[in-house]
Amino acid sequence: MTTKIKKYFVIGNPIDHSLSPKLHNYWLKENNINALYDKIKLNENDLENFIKDIRQQKITGCNVTVPFKQAVIPFLDKLSLEAKQTQSVNTIIFKDGSLVGHNTDIVGFAKAIQGLSFNLRGKKVLILGAGGVVPSIIFALNKMGVSKIIVSNRTKQKAEKLKNLFENLKTIEWGNIEYFDMIINATSLGLNKEKINLDFSNAGKNKLFYDVIYNPAETNFLKNAKKNGNLIENGKLMFVYQALEAFKLWHEVEPKISNEIFKLLEND
Ligand code: ATR
């Protein structure tokens, strides 16, 4: 008897850089699951047909990355509470005849922060950027009980739009800096060694500087922060945890986070 191999994808544009296939295929093998995980670059007008293939179970499920986390929503039947509140889906499953959109970026970010010795309750957070992952970060920060979230984005309009999803959000002009306990780089600046054209040297010490980027492991943003006596963290653990939560949703198995995983993600 042969069982049909299950197929999973991560969809996005661009998608070349994605390390999701490496991680998922490693875990699939480790857990003896007969499935394959691949990446595929789509255009917005390919989304509907791609998701139809999940409904017909030609494709078992998928992860969704930038810039489609919101664009996939009209083609789904149900959303988890988190996906609904952030209007952001990064994992699609087919369950009991329905296409369901989940958001595991939120848990990914929360677990990554919980592992640090930095209590965010009552703290002020400044976010740089307003792209695909920012609603998930704001959702998680609110749950952690931060006192204030300020968003600064080059295109202010995009930051303003986030106010439709979240109350009590403050937006400031790109280039301005306000007092913060934690600052998050959620822009793409640093992926290709670009510098963020802002000076944080007067921000004080012992702040938490977080960069969603994990390749390179230390962006200039993090390097300078460390030099100035701050705690730094990149987005690698967030990436691993969001993948772990997606794996659990699809396979009902909790994969292991080991040194092997981190070695695997470094060899790139
Ligand atoms: P998307 O915007 O499609 O969701 P993203 O990678 O999630 O893509 O987001 C990119 C983020 O980096 C955006 O906040 C973007 O700012 P704009 O909204 O103004 O485009 C920010 N970004 C990219 N290049 C930048 C630059 N040179 N200076 C400042 N911000 C930049």
Side-chain angles (χ1 to χ4, degrees), residues 229-265:
N230 296 289
L231 186 65
I232 62 167
E233 182 72 15
N234 71 23
K236 186 164 275 177
L237 267 178
M238 177 182 180
F239 169 73
V240 171
Y241 280 125
Q242 65 73 30
L244 181 142
E245 293 300 319
F247 196 94
K248 272 180 12 190
L249 283 169
W250 290 325
H251 310 295
E252 290 166 6
V253 174
E254 174 142 356
K256 278 205 280 279
I257 293 184
S258 58
N259 284 338
E260 297 302 311
I261 296 291
F262 293 105
K263 265 190 235 150
L264 186 79
L265 298 178

Side-chain angles (χ1 to χ4, degrees), residues 66-67 129-133 153-155 158 174 186-189:
V66 170
V133 80
N153 193 50
R154 177 179 62 177
T155 313
K158 237 163 102 188
W174 181 252
T187 73
S188 46
L189 290 173

Side-chain angles (χ1 to χ4, degrees), residues 9-158:
F9 287 92
V10 56
I11 60 173
N13 193 348
I15 200 65
D16 265 355
H17 65 283
S18 175
L19 295 179
S20 291
K22 261 193 173 178
L23 185 52
H24 279 276
N25 284 320
Y26 180 90
W27 278 334
L28 287 169
K29 199 166 166 210
E30 191 178 52
N31 289 283
N32 292 314
I33 297 169
N34 190 22
L36 277 175
Y37 186 114
D38 207 348
K39 53 189 165 191
I40 183 164
K41 184 170 136 182
L42 296 184
N43 293 312
E44 182 136 4
N45 53 14
D46 301 325
L47 287 178
E48 187 168 9
N49 278 333
F50 182 87
I51 292 174
K52 216 179 263 168
D53 284 350
I54 305 180
R55 193 181 291 285
Q56 295 171 353
Q57 284 296 278
K58 291 180 197 159
I59 295 166
T60 318
C62 77
N63 280 136
V64 182
T65 190
V66 170
F68 300 134
K69 290 184 181 191
Q70 185 164 19
V72 295
I73 291 178
F75 308 117
L76 305 177
D77 303 315
K78 291 184 197 161
L79 297 180
S80 70
L81 183 79
E82 289 86 353
K84 193 172 175 192
Q85 294 197 0
T86 52
Q87 286 294 294
S88 176
V89 165
N90 81 325
T91 305
I92 299 175
I93 67 173
F94 188 68
K95 201 173 181 200
D96 305 328
S98 292
L99 285 167
V100 189
H102 288 263
N103 178 332
T104 71
D105 288 329
I106 298 170
V107 182
F109 179 76
K111 283 199 173 169
I113 298 299
Q114 279 152 15
L116 306 172
S117 50
F118 198 91
N119 185 358
L120 275 171
R121 187 157 290 280
K123 299 283 166 57
K124 293 196 170 67
V125 184
L126 175 58
I127 301 175
L128 307 175
V133 80
V134 170
S136 306
I137 290 177
I138 295 174
F139 187 96
L141 289 170
N142 279 332
K143 261 196 142 168
M144 288 176 212
V146 302
S147 63
K148 191 166 190 179
I149 300 173
I150 306 160
V151 178
S152 171
N153 193 50
R154 177 179 62 177
T155 313
K156 192 168 181 206
Q157 221 179 340
K158 237 163 102 188

